[in-house]
Amino acid sequence: MYEKNRYSPAIRSNGFLFVSGQVGSRPDGSPEPDLEKQVRLAFENLNAILSSAGCTFNDVVDVTVFMVDPEAHLEKAWGVVSEYWGDAPHPTLTGVGVTWLSGFQFEIKVIARLPEAAAHSAA
């Protein structure tokens, strides 16, 4: 998917990991229709990318969340988010309500601080 759409899942730069937006896609790339399951899948996809760079969600310093119709879906989605969000101090957060996410209802992108060992390895 990344090569087809000409972007990277994540890029290391100056001690940080910049992760592209992650959605709750099924193995075939289609959106998971259940919102709670979709948010869980988005976090599982995010955590896989963080892990491959030697990071965890505890290394995340900045989060941007995109959500279709947040007024109707925020409470349900945020109940799932708390399952993955670590203890304080929490990362900064920007939430953006959108009208379209290519069939998805939730997308999360982050910037994480690379652990010292990961910061010196190749991207």
Side-chain angles (χ1 to χ4, degrees), residues 8-116:
S8 299
I11 297 287
R12 292 180 180 160
S13 180
N14 295 321
F16 290 95
L17 183 71
F18 296 82
V19 181
S20 292
Q22 298 299 303
V23 293
S25 58
R26 294 172 165 174
D28 67 359
S30 66
E32 165 58 52
D34 178 86
L35 177 61
E36 290 177 352
K37 289 179 182 177
Q38 189 179 124
V39 173
R40 281 187 185 94
L41 280 172
F43 268 91
E44 289 172 20
N45 293 337
L46 171 63
N47 286 338
I49 291 171
L50 290 170
S51 178
S52 71
C55 297
T56 69
F57 196 84
N58 290 332
D59 297 306
V60 171
V61 295
D62 184 61
V63 176
T64 305
V65 170
F66 303 93
M67 188 176 299
V68 174
D69 196 4
E71 188 172 3
H73 301 295
L74 181 64
E75 190 172 323
K76 183 181 260 190
W78 219 248
V80 176
V81 167
S82 66
E83 297 172 16
Y84 296 90
W85 218 270
D87 295 325
H90 300 292
T92 62
L93 171 71
T94 301
V96 182
V98 297
T99 59
W100 182 81
L101 285 173
S102 192
F104 295 91
Q105 297 171 304
F106 178 89
E107 182 173 348
I108 182 169
K109 68 181 286 329
V110 303
I111 300 170
R113 174 183 53 243
L114 286 165
E116 192 63 32

